Amino acid sequence: MENPGYSSGFDGLHHPSDDDDDEMVDIAGATLDFSTTDDVPPLSSGGYDEYSAGSSSRAAGMNGSGPTKLVDPLEDPLPGVGTYEDFNTIDWVREKSKDRDRHREITNKSRESTVALLHSVSDAFSGWLLMLLVGLMAGSLAGGIDIAAHWMTDLKEGVCLIGFWFNHEHCCWTSNETTFQERDSCPQWKSWAELIAGTAQGPFAYIVNYLMYIFWALLFSFLAVTLVRAFAPYACGSGIPEIKTILSGFIIRGYLGKWTLIIKTITLVLAVSSGLSLGKEGPLVHVACCCANILCHLFTKYRKNEAKRREVLSAAAAVGVSVAFGAPIGGVLFSLEEVSYYFPLKTLWRSFFAALVAAFTLRSINPFGNSRLVLFYVEFHAPWHLLELAPFILLGIFGGLWGALFIKANIAWCRMRKTTRLGHYPVIEVLLVTAVTALIAFPNSYTRMSGAELISELFNDCSLLDSSQLCGYKQPVNTSETGVDNNLADRPAGAGLYTALWQLALALIFKILITVITFGMKVPSGLFIPSMAVGAIAGRLLGVGMEQLAYYNHDWLIFRGWCSPGADCITPGLYAMVGAAACLGGVTRMTVSLVVIMFELTGGLEYIVPLMAATMTSKWVADAFGREGIYEAHIRLNGYPFLEPKEEFEHSSLAVDVMRPRRGDPALAVLTQDSMTIGEVETLVESTHYSGFPVVVSQESQRLVGFVLRRDLLISIDNARKRQDGIVSASLVVFTEHCPAQPPEAPPPLRLRGIIDLSPFTVTDHTPMDITVDIFRKLGLRQCLVTHNGRLLGIITKKDILKHMAQIANRDPDSILFN
């Protein structure tokens, strides 16, 4: 099985130096730095913890029988056997079999003594304890990130005199001198112009504030990109494409380590505060998964088993969305629908528990200061009419078109970044994009405010006590037009509203363009908030348009009967909400989880049907231009070996068409069960780059015995040379239970039955490839052997399948980098 990713795929990579952006190699929007090692090997089996070579065998495989135990000095635990190299795929079946054997052993021992029984109980409870710790840790970090980001965002505009650590809102909370019209103004809060120039009005004050805004934005983004580049290259980007790949069984060592967690947490605050068009929701999923991976090292069950660890990481992905949006149920559904590869019922329950704990922790910290968990609480509950489904579906079409356009444009930009000199200067790129963003954003109040503030403003419905510019309607002539519950009837737009609409239209164009080049830069960058902001702006514009249409044309057929004069017919905030869901759905292709997140996010339970209609429409429209969401597109761009469960294999090829060796290729490299010496085995291993070898009865018969991993083979041979007397290059390597007869003067044999997988997955040469692909997806296989009448013919790896699927789709098959 070829392993170019480990053995030869990175031969040309440079080690990053401290002084040249040229020495940066892009992968997954991150930078690989092979000169540093993470002190927490995040996705190895406990960092080469002791592991029994006997129990590493999958002799149990599918039949449930335990591995054969030999009386042999080499059957002691060998450090490293059963672990995986970086950029390799784990063997799900072996890991599940290993956990089943471990659980069976603990259960059998629990009947023998009280201590063993307590150990069994603690082992069963450890998963729930781990979920509790993950929820507490992720909730606490998310609360700290929210508070710090809010404070640093306000720092760009001014500072609080009674305590620099107060943000603008908290600074004015205790003031008795705020007015209704200027509720954000108080003597305790000073803008930079007031501090530097001594005045808050006039062109000079405006220029001072403008320059200070740009200065802070550049400083924050420079610190963010520098910290990422210097300490944790994997801390950049969203993290969700890599999390999806890791959950499918791939190993990216260091991606979920403690350095990545520390730097991602700090730089996420800096990146959000800089005013760049990005969100913190995707990176918070990465942060939660880092927490889970680090806490896994406290529990042997999860430290030593890659498959069990990925169950925890699936739950952690749910925790990330739970703390990002205050949407615990939506987080669980997001993990199930969008991120997880393997999601059993046990993981569903634990995800639910972890998301609950995280949401409770965040609610206790109360980072928004409003005693609510939801991010954008809506206070309107006016009913929507059936005829409004037409504009809702129109928003769905817009969301689908925006999603398809964004994915194509962003992937083209990221590909240009990877293939041109642009990608060699990530610091300069980030600073330039920040400067452009700050220069254009400051004059427009809707682009100056943070993404979350903007969405909250757009979701807001105008009441009697609202001073927002979006509520700049002409006042009713008499009070009879005033609705109940502090809500106003539809009114004609005033000068303030027209100004706001022009600013929103300009903000929409700006957000569409700047988000394309911002996502994928070398800073933590989420996509949820920018996508929702684009949709919310479009929705608010359409909502106000519908409202004015209804006001001036009550007698039209479409409005007659349900929209009488003086009634509150159209709710523009609802259109913003539906537009936000449509655009986010078009970019990510989420459906069920997105609708649940949206009504948890806003509390608007009455509007599930409009949200469902718009989300489904956006998915259908976006799918017409391409089936991939943004995360799948970035996975393919970076060449990760990920078999997308949503993608159907429709070609009529057979296993023999995809397997290696092909016609004209050299014969398959195999080991024999009892006729090769250590020297011959080492020569075969050194002359190839395969990460595993089939074991056959003999070169003549080619009857399959099992499969052995290159790593386990090398570790076992090296260990035997050091620990076992008489082992030399002429020693026979034996994979059978009984050694064959040898001459008396022959050196002792090396018995390696303990490391062989005696139940490798096999298909016949005439197995259809669609079935083979399903087997790979559902069982998480690394490789599958192809036989004909019991004789070994060849091998199919996950990389072979991905290359075959790329060829069918007319893509470059060599874009699949790793195995």
Side-chain angles (χ1 to χ4, degrees):
M1 185 168 66
E2 285 189 17
N3 187 7
Y6 177 70
S7 57
S8 60
F10 292 99
D11 292 344
L13 294 189
H14 303 290
H15 293 274
S17 66
D18 293 331
D19 54 355
D20 189 2
D21 276 345
D22 260 319
E23 305 298 316
M24 306 282 282
V25 182
D26 186 35
I27 167 171
T31 307
L32 290 177
D33 183 357
F34 294 109
S35 62
T36 59
T37 56
D38 199 308
D39 49 350
V40 180
L43 289 170
S44 65
S45 288
Y48 302 141
D49 282 315
E50 296 84 19
Y51 174 71
S52 169
S55 66
S56 78
S57 163
R58 242 187 342 183
M62 301 301 289
N63 57 19
S65 60
T68 308
K69 188 71 178 173
L70 303 176
V71 182
D72 190 290
L74 284 184
E75 295 304 316
D76 292 337
L78 292 183
V81 172
T83 60
Y84 303 95
E85 295 282 8
D86 203 7
F87 299 119
N88 264 357
T89 304
I90 70 166
D91 191 328
W92 283 89
V93 182
R94 179 172 74 170
E95 297 297 313
K96 297 300 289 182
S97 174
K98 187 167 71 175
D99 183 64
R100 189 169 57 245
D101 292 342
R102 184 198 63 80
H103 186 263
R104 194 173 290 148
E105 183 182 353
I106 289 174
T107 305
N108 292 336
K109 284 183 178 178
S110 67
R111 303 187 183 99
E112 298 172 4
S113 68
T114 307
V115 174
L117 178 62
L118 290 174
H119 178 249
S120 174
V121 171
S122 68
D123 181 76
F125 182 68
S126 61
W128 295 100
L129 178 60
L130 179 55
M131 289 297 101
L132 176 70
L133 295 175
V134 170
L136 290 170
M137 186 174 177
S140 303
L141 282 175
I145 288 170
D146 285 333
I147 293 168
H150 197 171
W151 173 68
M152 290 177 70
T153 301
D154 288 348
L155 191 62
K156 291 187 297 182
E157 297 182 356
V159 69
C160 187
L161 297 182
I162 57 174
F164 73 92
W165 55 88
F166 288 124
N167 62 36
H168 194 167
E169 186 181 3
H170 290 176
C171 188
C172 293
W173 261 0
T174 56
S175 175
N176 296 321
E177 299 171 57
T178 54
T179 62
F180 175 71
Q181 285 76 19
E182 297 183 358
R183 62 185 68 183
D184 292 330
S185 298
C186 61
Q188 292 83 359
W189 178 267
K190 295 290 185 185
S191 68
W192 291 111
E194 288 177 277
L195 289 172
I196 297 170
T199 176
Q201 305 297 326
F204 183 65
Y206 184 84
I207 292 170
V208 170
N209 283 331
Y210 202 159
L211 292 175
M212 288 303 294
Y213 182 90
I214 295 171
F215 165 75
W216 285 110
L218 288 171
L219 177 64
F220 293 157
S221 61
F222 176 73
L223 288 173
V225 69
T226 306
L227 286 171
V228 166
R229 184 171 177 268
F231 297 105
Y234 283 146
C236 68
S238 163
I240 292 181
E242 287 73 28
I243 298 295
K244 285 188 71 160
T245 310
I246 287 169
L247 289 178
S248 75
F250 196 55
I251 288 176
I252 308 177
R253 188 164 296 153
Y255 199 81
L256 300 176
K258 59 174 175 280
W259 264 116
T260 304
L261 173 63
I262 293 167
I263 299 302
K264 185 114 185 182
T265 304
I266 296 168
T267 55
L268 179 54
V269 174
L270 291 165
V272 170
S273 306
S274 69
L276 287 166
S277 182
L278 47 83
K280 60 181 182 294
E281 288 65 34
L284 276 173
V285 174
H286 187 184
V287 166
C289 287
C290 287
C291 295
N293 183 66
I294 291 164
L295 290 169
C296 277
H297 288 271
L298 302 175
F299 301 88
T300 308
K301 176 165 71 172
Y302 297 101
R303 185 174 71 245
K304 292 187 176 182
N305 193 291
E306 297 292 346
K308 295 295 289 180
R309 191 180 311 195
R310 275 157 180 76
E311 292 179 20
V312 176
L313 295 178
S314 289
V319 169
V321 174
S322 174
V323 295
F325 286 122
I329 302 171
V332 175
L333 291 174
F334 173 80
S335 180
L336 173 61
E337 179 183 0
E338 190 62 28
V339 180
S340 296
Y341 201 83
Y342 173 68
F343 204 82
L345 265 179
K346 187 191 295 183
T347 304
L348 178 70
W349 301 329
R350 288 179 175 171
S351 301
F352 186 77
F353 174 67
L356 166 72
V357 172
F360 176 77
T361 305
L362 190 65
R363 170 67 181 77
S364 303
I365 295 171
N366 193 18
F368 307 117
N370 58 5
S371 299
R372 288 198 185 103
L373 187 61
V374 298
L375 197 54
F376 312 116
Y377 182 73
V378 296
E379 295 182 338
F380 49 85
H381 299 283
W384 58 277
H385 196 268
L386 194 61
L387 287 170
E388 288 185 276
L389 274 179
F392 294 152
I393 289 171
L394 196 63
L395 284 172
I397 293 171
F398 171 79
L401 292 172
W402 146 251
L405 172 70
F406 174 80
I407 291 169
K408 290 186 184 299
N410 181 251
I411 293 300
W413 181 263
C414 290
R415 186 171 284 115
M416 189 176 79
R417 184 187 285 131
K418 290 169 76 77
T419 55
T420 64
R421 293 187 63 82
L422 174 67
H424 298 162
Y425 303 98
V427 177
I428 295 172
E429 182 195 7
V430 169
L431 290 176
L432 281 175
V433 173
T434 306
V436 170
T437 304
L439 275 168
I440 300 174
F442 186 83
N444 188 336
S445 60
Y446 294 110
T447 50
R448 189 192 315 167
M449 62 179 69
S450 69
E453 272 185 282
L454 173 61
I455 295 168
S456 187
E457 178 87 354
L458 294 166
F459 283 7
N460 182 39
D461 191 32
C462 292
S463 64
L464 279 170
L465 300 175
D466 216 313
S467 60
S468 168
Q469 197 176 11
L470 280 171
C471 299
Y473 295 94
K474 292 178 182 175
Q475 291 304 315
V477 178
N478 54 56
T479 54
S480 63
E481 291 187 35
T482 303
V484 294
D485 296 333
N486 201 29
N487 289 324
L488 290 171
D490 291 346
R491 293 166 291 158
L497 181 57
Y498 282 123
T499 304
L501 293 181
W502 275 111
Q503 289 180 337
L504 280 179
L506 293 172
L508 178 63
I509 297 167
F510 172 69
K511 285 281 184 187
I512 285 174
L513 295 175
I514 205 71
T515 306
V516 169
I517 60 175
T518 303
F519 186 68
M521 291 197 308
K522 297 295 184 290
V523 290
S525 54
L527 196 58
F528 279 48
I529 289 293
S531 300
M532 288 174 66
V534 168
I537 293 172
R540 187 77 188 202
L541 290 172
L542 181 63
V544 173
M546 284 292 296
E547 182 187 43
Q548 296 305 303
L549 193 66
Y551 177 80
Y552 286 109
N553 300 281
H554 282 298
D555 54 343
W556 281 15
L557 183 64
I558 58 171
F559 298 119
R560 198 184 302 153
W562 65 277
C563 190
S564 56
D568 183 16
C569 306
I570 306 292
T571 308
L574 170 60
Y575 286 73
M577 201 165 97
V578 171
C583 281
L584 185 53
V587 170
T588 62
R589 310 300 159 84
M590 291 156 55
T591 51
V592 181
S593 56
L594 175 57
V595 172
V596 174
I597 286 171
M598 285 306 296
F599 79 68
E600 280 192 281
L601 200 60
T602 59
L605 201 60
E606 299 92 339
Y607 307 118
I608 289 180
V609 173
L611 289 170
M612 290 174 71
T615 303
M616 207 65 242
T617 305
S618 74
K619 177 175 169 54
W620 286 335
V621 171
D623 281 350
F625 293 91
R627 301 299 297 270
E628 290 180 322
I630 185 67
Y631 302 129
E632 291 79 24
H634 272 270
I635 286 172
R636 183 162 60 80
L637 176 71
N638 292 302
Y640 293 137
F642 182 76
L643 275 174
E644 175 55 55
K646 302 170 190 170
E647 191 176 349
E648 295 181 9
F649 187 90
E650 297 174 347
H651 204 261
S652 58
S653 50
L654 302 176
V656 71
D657 301 322
V658 181
M659 74 172 194
R660 286 176 297 153
R662 308 280 172 83
R663 289 185 180 88
D665 288 353
L668 189 68
V670 297
L671 302 173
T672 57
Q673 65 176 359
D674 56 8
S675 58
M676 292 180 73
T677 63
I678 288 179
E680 291 170 337
V681 170
E682 287 179 328
T683 301
L684 177 66
V685 171
E686 287 170 8
S687 63
T688 60
H689 295 304
Y690 308 138
S691 58
F693 301 91
V695 179
V696 295
V697 172
S698 66
Q699 293 285 1
E700 294 75 30
S701 75
Q702 291 288 309
R703 299 285 178 185
L704 183 62
V705 175
F707 192 85
V708 65
L709 293 177
R710 173 197 191 96
R711 180 183 180 83
D712 292 355
L713 192 63
L714 290 174
I715 290 173
S716 300
I717 291 175
D718 184 57
N719 188 74
R721 285 186 183 276
K722 294 175 182 175
R723 294 178 54 189
Q724 193 172 345
D725 294 335
I727 294 294
V728 293
S729 295
S731 297
L732 210 59
V733 177
V734 179
F735 292 101
T736 56
E737 192 167 351
H738 304 289
C739 293
Q742 288 184 281
E745 67 278 3
L750 173 58
R751 300 165 64 185
L752 295 181
R753 184 178 173 83
I755 66 168
I756 185 176
D757 169 13
L758 293 172
S759 57
F761 274 89
T762 59
V763 295
T764 68
D765 50 345
H766 289 290
T767 305
M769 272 309 295
D770 55 344
I771 293 176
T772 308
V773 170
D774 265 352
I775 291 172
F776 268 82
R777 280 179 181 149
K778 290 170 180 172
L779 294 177
L781 300 185
R782 307 175 72 190
Q783 72 278 321
C784 184
L785 301 175
V786 183
T787 61
H788 177 74
N789 295 336
R791 288 169 54 89
L792 180 65
L793 275 188
I795 186 170
I796 298 176
T797 66
K798 184 191 274 190
K799 184 178 175 184
D800 293 327
I801 290 177
L802 288 163
K803 278 191 170 184
H804 183 65
M805 293 171 78
Q807 285 174 330
I808 292 170
N810 294 319
R811 298 196 301 260
D812 178 17
D814 294 324
S815 63
I816 313 299
L817 294 178
F818 308 116
N819 187 18

